[in-house]
Amino acid sequence: MIISAIKVKQPLGEFYIAKIKAGDLLRISTSSVARYDKDGKLKGNQRPLDPKRLKAIANFIMSDEMSFPTSILIAANIDRDGGIVEKHDDRWTVEKTNTTDVFNLVIPDKVSSLIIDGQHRLNAFNYADSSCKEIELVCSIFLDLPNPYQAYLFATINGNQKRVDKSLALELFGYDVENEPQNTWSPEKLAVYLTRKFNFSKKSPLYQKIKLAPLYSEIDEIVNREQWLLSTAAMVEGIMSLISSNPQKDRDMLAMKRNSIWGDKTRQILSNNNRPVLRYLYISSKDDELYSILEKYFWSVKTILWDNATENSVILKTIGISVLFDILKNIIEKYDIQDSYDLYINKIRDINYSSNYFALSGGGKTKLKRILKYRLGFIQKHDLQESDIKFLQGIIE
């Protein structure tokens, strides 16, 4: 399916406005109810569907006064679990047209998007006459929108329209939307804040490098690859891995304490066993010091690895960013915090990051992690796979 769309630029990022028939949107999208999985991790960003409400909306849909002028918010290229769809054939893609700011969105005929806001409006069409599925709906479409921002949009939009249960808003949004003090921020909130600081600070090694934009595009005019580098999701998750073993548990604890008779509590109420490696900085609200460590590390990564990488290099992709955060944890654990990380990054500069050995499928992240840890002395040769050794010997290109 191909639809025309208008590109809109706002501070959060770019998105597209288009019209999609209700039946088509039901076929290619899903919603994700907020829930905890078996490991205690929060999944999803929506309230459960209310059948009574769906039937009431369906009656409105079948009436002569039916009108839904406000947008359905869609996170395209997001799977049912909230992860980014990586397989190119399963992704929404963007094609340029001859009209400024008007593009064609090419949409695969399968579930490849999440409804951020408007799930009741959309699902009510399943309770209405089948002919109603031909009705066109206004849609605002974000491509590759990370989980924290899906939750952010849902919480703030619904906070202005229909009040969301405060505990749910806290879990989804990551912090008190009513101007929460910085020293009470959850790990997710701090990670989002630092990610945005990296993106918008002109002195940052990641200045204007973190974009809410398609991961893949054959149209260089649409995605400026000289400016784009990594996804917001990869950066947020990487930072959180340095400061919390269980971000949801931390967030729940902070929310519980804020709602108690004792009033606001800072991060110091949280447990601190120095795991993960930079948790002590998070607990003591030394956010500037945390940012400084990351800044020094990524300056080394940028000048030694990223500036010399080819466009298809795995070190520029999500799995590469994830492994780089793992490597930073290992460096700090073994060598402590450094003024410069050039010594360590230089040890992994000659890896062939463009090799098919690190394909996105087939355990590419695990392979990359083993090889970088070996080069940095964190594991021994006997910890490598035979294929890793062949790769390092240049037998596998």
Side-chain angles (χ1 to χ4, degrees), residues 189-351:
K189 166 58 184 171
L190 177 59
V192 171
Y193 168 79
L194 293 178
T195 296
R196 291 182 63 82
K197 184 175 181 179
F198 270 111
N199 197 38
F200 295 114
S201 172
K202 292 183 178 180
K203 296 181 179 180
S204 161
L206 294 167
Y207 175 57
Q208 293 187 345
K209 300 291 186 182
I210 307 169
K211 295 294 182 183
L212 301 178
L215 291 178
Y216 302 96
S217 175
E218 297 178 1
I219 310 296
D220 286 337
E221 291 85 353
I222 296 175
V223 178
N224 186 341
R225 298 184 185 279
E226 294 298 319
Q227 294 183 358
W228 174 82
L229 183 59
L230 70 155
S231 72
T232 299
M235 196 69 181
V236 169
E237 290 169 5
I239 294 173
M240 284 199 295
S241 73
L242 297 172
I243 61 177
S244 178
S245 299
N246 192 332
Q248 183 58 52
K249 182 178 179 181
D250 289 339
R251 186 195 300 168
D252 287 345
M253 180 64 69
L254 289 168
M256 179 181 67
K257 291 298 183 181
R258 280 199 302 275
N259 291 328
S260 74
I261 62 174
W262 303 107
D264 286 349
K265 300 293 182 181
T266 69
R267 304 174 203 169
Q268 291 183 337
I269 66 171
L270 302 175
S271 61
N272 178 22
N273 58 0
N274 291 326
R275 292 291 184 273
V277 292
L278 297 181
R279 183 166 178 80
Y280 71 98
L281 294 177
Y282 168 71
I283 294 295
S284 57
S285 299
K286 295 182 178 179
D287 300 342
D288 290 341
E289 190 173 337
L290 173 60
Y291 179 83
S292 177
I293 293 169
L294 293 169
E295 185 180 38
K296 291 173 184 176
Y297 179 67
F298 282 110
W299 268 120
S300 294
V301 170
K302 178 183 184 299
T303 56
I304 298 172
L305 298 183
W306 288 342
D307 287 351
N308 299 302
T310 58
E311 185 177 308
N312 63 338
S313 174
V314 72
I315 207 68
L316 301 179
K317 300 184 184 298
T318 299
I319 63 172
I321 304 303
S322 177
V323 171
L324 284 170
F325 273 103
D326 287 336
I327 295 302
L328 175 58
K329 285 186 281 188
N330 291 147
I331 293 173
I332 295 173
E333 286 174 341
K334 186 169 183 177
Y335 302 113
D336 208 351
I337 295 168
Q338 307 292 312
D339 290 330
S340 171
Y341 292 88
D342 289 1
L343 173 65
Y344 310 105
I345 304 304
N346 272 317
K347 293 180 180 180
I348 57 174
R349 69 181 305 164
D350 62 342
I351 300 293

Side-chain angles (χ1 to χ4, degrees), residues 44-282:
N45 57 16
Q46 293 275 331
R47 293 167 292 193
L49 289 171
D50 181 352
K52 184 177 179 180
R53 186 180 174 199
L54 291 173
K55 293 176 182 178
I57 297 173
N59 289 332
F60 175 70
I61 290 172
M62 293 184 287
S63 72
D64 291 336
E65 293 79 25
M66 182 272 171
S67 178
F68 288 157
T70 55
S71 291
I72 304 287
L73 265 63
I74 302 171
N77 296 329
I78 304 296
D79 62 27
R80 286 182 170 88
D81 294 324
I84 293 177
V85 175
E86 299 280 4
K87 188 177 179 181
H88 187 274
D89 292 341
D90 295 342
R91 293 174 53 80
W92 296 41
T93 55
V94 183
E95 294 179 345
K96 191 177 181 182
T97 70
N98 294 326
T99 305
T100 303
D101 288 331
V102 176
F103 298 86
N104 288 329
L105 299 184
V106 182
I107 306 171
D109 192 22
K110 60 176 60 180
V111 174
S112 53
S113 60
L114 279 180
I115 302 301
I116 306 173
D117 186 69
Q119 64 161 347
H120 278 89
R121 275 174 286 163
L122 177 60
N123 281 278
F125 282 88
N126 287 322
Y127 291 77
D129 293 342
S130 59
S131 60
C132 293
K133 291 183 179 179
E134 292 296 309
I135 293 174
E136 296 173 334
L137 299 174
V138 180
C139 301
S140 294
I141 303 159
F142 293 81
L143 290 96
D144 305 305
L145 188 69
N147 269 320
Y149 285 107
Q150 295 172 32
Y152 168 86
L153 289 172
F154 174 77
T156 50
I157 289 170
N158 284 279
N160 292 329
Q161 294 179 359
K162 179 180 179 181
R163 184 166 181 82
V164 179
D165 177 78
K166 189 168 185 178
S167 64
L168 176 60
L170 286 167
E171 289 175 326
L172 295 178
F173 199 9
Y175 68 100
D176 189 343
V177 296
E178 300 169 353
N179 194 24
E180 177 185 353
Q182 185 168 344
N183 63 0
T184 65
W185 285 354
S186 68
E188 183 182 60
K189 166 58 184 171
L190 177 59
V192 171
Y193 168 79
L194 293 178
T195 296
R196 291 182 63 82
K197 184 175 181 179
F198 270 111
N199 197 38
F200 295 114
S201 172
K202 292 183 178 180
K203 296 181 179 180
S204 161
L206 294 167
Y207 175 57
Q208 293 187 345
K209 300 291 186 182
I210 307 169
K211 295 294 182 183
L212 301 178
L215 291 178
Y216 302 96
S217 175
E218 297 178 1
I219 310 296
D220 286 337
E221 291 85 353
I222 296 175
V223 178
N224 186 341
R225 298 184 185 279
E226 294 298 319
Q227 294 183 358
W228 174 82
L229 183 59
L230 70 155
S231 72
T232 299
M235 196 69 181
V236 169
E237 290 169 5
I239 294 173
M240 284 199 295
S241 73
L242 297 172
I243 61 177
S244 178
S245 299
N246 192 332
Q248 183 58 52
K249 182 178 179 181
D250 289 339
R251 186 195 300 168
D252 287 345
M253 180 64 69
L254 289 168
M256 179 181 67
K257 291 298 183 181
R258 280 199 302 275
N259 291 328
S260 74
I261 62 174
W262 303 107
D264 286 349
K265 300 293 182 181
T266 69
R267 304 174 203 169
Q268 291 183 337
I269 66 171
L270 302 175
S271 61
N272 178 22
N273 58 0
N274 291 326
R275 292 291 184 273
V277 292
L278 297 181
R279 183 166 178 80
Y280 71 98
L281 294 177
Y282 168 71

